[in-house]
Amino acid sequence: MINIPKGTKDVLPGSSYKWQYIEETARNVARAFNLSEIRTPTFEYTELFKRGVGESTDVVNKEMYTFEDKGGRSITLKPEGTAGAARLFIENGLASSPMPVKTFYITPAFRYERPQAGRLREFHQFGIEVFGSGSYQTDAEVIFAASAFLDKLGVRVKLEINSIGCKVCRAEYNKALKKYFEPNLSKMCEACRSRFEKNPLRILDCKEEGCKKFTAEAPSITDYLCGECSRHFDGVKSLLDNQGLKYIVNPRIVRGLDYYSRTVFEFVSDEIGAQGTVCGGGRYDGLIAELGGSSLPAIGFAAGIERLMLLMENTGIKFPERQKVRIYIAGMDEKTRDKAFEIATALRLKGISAEIDHLNRSIKAQFKYADKLGAEYVAVIGENELLSGELKIKNMSDGTQTAVKIGQIESYLK
Ligand code: HAM
């Protein structure tokens, strides 16, 4: 037998309703926030992620599924949704539409990571990306959209926010970080030594114990924000405060991708183990220009669907029950089974879920089967029913029976 690849998961018929529920909740929130769906390909040219996500990130350095196609092009399975969304925005000239352009997506993403609870090699994200507004109100709106989505699902998470400044203040901060880390650089991991050159901020995100002890006392970005970045961050915080959205400012949040500037945020849980971030995002005002578009600000987030599912299961949150079979129609022999087929088909074509036996089961076995399917009603067709054109429809929850003409089953069930 050939098994499923490491770090991937099947969605089984008995649990797909959980996925549908989370996706439907995402779509409803997107509608309320006036976001339009976009879909980008599963793979892009590798260059997009190298330039978009950034060469100092683990995602680009270690985790991408990259291969050469038969035409010799370097292709990468998307490790996240933002770079593709930005490419779509630029390539399709959306910069000439009224701003902001507010989008969302539900997408698979691929990262070659060491699988563990909440960490997969293929996972799924609900993300939103808003292009063309640099105002702090947009930051607050995007954070509220994430919070509304998580609230609707009933999960309890903590919101942590930070500002990592703009090009100007980050340059000052990076200098301070370099000065701070330099004396201990030789004791830090190889990745951090390379981060030191490329993007010292990234050192704060290092998971190595040996490096963590040096990052604990590192200077805080909050002390280096320029006037404009400070005002922007104050604006975001005041809107969250005014609306009663609780958060903590965590100056250690730097996010794992290179494109961020100013506001960054994460929604975290301590109920799902080490991979506690269920949703992360932030502003990325330089990305559109970096990818060859005009200089336009943008902000977004992505929530990991598998992590949310894990959190909901671990904390006993009930998913609404999936739709059951409305009516099960049992036949006894070839003629009555054909009739059951005919009635079920007519109902199905009207959008009513109907089921029949496919395996020549006895009537007793069919009742058992109908029960397993959770059928709300069961009707049996015998010779008498064929003659009279009337079925006795049994309500499975209270056991009552009602005689209904075959032509009236649809209106009876409605
Ligand atoms: P990210 O923090 O890399 O951000 O991923 C967002 C979310 O995807 C995480 O919080 C987590 O729930 C989920 N996730 C990430 N990696 C895995 C994995 N290996 N297995 C399971 N779930 C995972 C981004 O991807 C950005 N594009 C978010 C964004 C959008 N920023 C601005 N716009």
Side-chain angles (χ1 to χ4, degrees):
M1 196 190 73
I2 300 168
N3 293 323
I4 192 170
K6 195 170 166 187
T8 64
K9 273 196 175 152
D10 291 319
V11 176
L12 302 179
S15 56
S16 48
Y17 72 101
K18 296 184 180 178
W19 281 84
Q20 288 162 2
Y21 173 65
I22 294 180
E23 288 168 4
E24 240 171 71
T25 307
R27 289 178 192 284
N28 289 339
V29 168
R31 212 166 293 128
F33 281 81
N34 188 31
L35 299 150
S36 303
E37 183 169 6
I38 53 169
R39 298 185 190 197
T40 64
T42 303
F43 56 84
E44 300 268 2
Y45 291 126
T46 303
E47 193 55 24
L48 175 72
F49 302 116
K50 282 196 173 164
R51 267 167 59 190
V53 174
E55 306 234 37
S56 78
T57 63
D58 282 355
V59 170
V60 167
N61 280 323
K62 304 186 196 156
E63 298 168 1
M64 293 207 298
Y65 278 90
T66 298
F67 58 94
E68 207 172 87
D69 73 5
K70 290 195 167 63
R73 305 166 194 93
S74 181
I75 296 289
T76 294
L77 301 185
K78 55 170 132 172
E80 55 98 56
T82 309
R87 185 212 34 79
L88 170 149
F89 177 83
I90 300 165
E91 189 168 351
N92 294 282
L94 299 187
S96 59
S97 14
M99 291 294 153
V101 173
K102 299 170 63 175
T103 69
F104 83 95
Y105 51 83
I106 296 173
T107 183
F110 307 85
R111 295 184 193 176
Y112 192 80
E113 295 197 79
R114 201 164 39 78
Q116 62 182 81
R119 192 161 75 189
L120 292 143
R121 291 183 173 169
E122 182 186 25
F123 58 98
H124 295 78
Q125 293 184 332
F126 162 50
I128 84 172
E129 312 292 353
V130 176
F131 300 101
S133 163
S135 77
Y136 67 79
Q137 286 89 348
T138 311
D139 302 41
E141 179 173 314
V142 166
I143 294 172
F144 265 98
S147 163
F149 170 59
L150 299 166
D151 258 11
K152 289 248 153 49
L153 293 178
V155 296
R156 284 174 38 147
V157 284
K158 284 198 202 93
L159 168 60
E160 300 189 350
I161 65 172
N162 188 25
S163 173
I164 57 166
C166 62
K167 261 197 192 137
V168 180
C169 43
R170 189 115 42 86
E172 284 309 305
Y173 180 55
N174 276 339
K175 262 191 228 156
L177 281 179
K178 279 188 142 177
K179 199 166 152 210
Y180 170 83
F181 284 121
E182 195 151 32
N184 293 310
L185 199 59
S186 58
K187 296 177 209 133
M188 300 178 76
C189 75
E190 200 188 317
C192 277
R193 290 202 295 273
S194 145
R195 289 168 183 138
F196 183 85
E197 299 304 332
K198 288 188 193 153
N199 187 357
L201 187 81
R202 178 94 312 113
I203 297 177
L204 299 177
D205 206 26
C206 185
K207 307 287 183 290
E208 299 283 331
E209 287 307 322
C211 299
K212 272 190 185 165
K213 64 173 183 268
F214 297 117
T215 59
E217 301 287 312
S220 174
I221 177 75
T222 329
D223 299 328
Y224 290 82
L225 293 183
C226 66
E228 271 190 53
C229 286
S230 269
R231 272 191 297 283
H232 186 95
F233 195 38
D234 287 344
V236 178
K237 286 185 288 185
S238 74
L239 282 183
L240 302 186
D241 290 336
N242 290 346
Q243 303 293 314
L245 188 62
K246 290 210 168 57
Y247 61 88
I248 59 163
V249 175
N250 178 355
R252 285 284 175 266
I253 294 186
V254 296
R255 309 279 302 124
L257 315 165
D258 274 353
Y259 44 62
Y260 292 109
S261 54
R262 291 196 165 167
T263 316
V264 289
F265 58 93
E266 291 184 350
F267 287 84
V268 292
S269 161
D270 45 22
E271 314 255 16
I272 49 172
Q275 304 302 317
T277 308
V278 294
C279 175
R283 193 161 262 298
Y284 50 96
D285 291 346
L287 181 63
I288 304 292
E290 173 65 36
L291 295 177
S294 40
S295 175
L296 276 173
I299 178 166
F301 72 77
I305 298 183
E306 285 84 353
R307 280 191 200 170
L308 279 170
M309 190 108 52
L310 190 65
L311 177 57
M312 291 173 75
E313 285 166 354
N314 284 2
T315 52
I317 294 174
K318 291 267 175 292
F319 291 80
E321 283 208 15
R322 67 187 172 141
Q323 207 217 333
K324 291 181 185 156
V325 170
R326 282 284 272 162
I327 186 163
Y328 181 93
I329 304 164
M332 301 178 161
D333 53 19
E334 198 169 317
K335 236 163 66 193
T336 52
R337 282 172 191 279
D338 283 355
K339 191 68 186 171
F341 175 86
E342 185 189 310
I343 298 171
T345 305
L347 291 171
R348 287 163 172 171
L349 295 180
K350 299 278 186 198
I352 295 171
S353 69
E355 193 49 284
I356 53 172
D357 175 44
H358 295 253
L359 298 176
N360 278 321
R361 291 178 175 86
S362 67
I363 287 294
K364 195 172 156 211
Q366 287 192 60
F367 263 93
K368 244 184 166 170
Y369 176 52
D371 201 44
K372 279 221 176 93
L373 294 177
E376 289 171 53
Y377 295 92
V378 175
V380 181
I381 309 182
E383 272 306 313
N384 291 343
E385 285 74 16
L386 277 186
L387 288 174
S388 67
E390 198 173 84
L391 303 189
K392 284 202 194 67
I393 296 185
K394 183 170 179 186
N395 180 329
M396 297 299 278
S397 58
D398 62 16
T400 55
Q401 295 212 52
T402 313
V404 181
K405 285 258 176 265
I406 288 177
Q408 277 155 17
I409 300 177
E410 184 196 342
S411 54
Y412 175 74
L413 291 177
K414 277 187 173 162

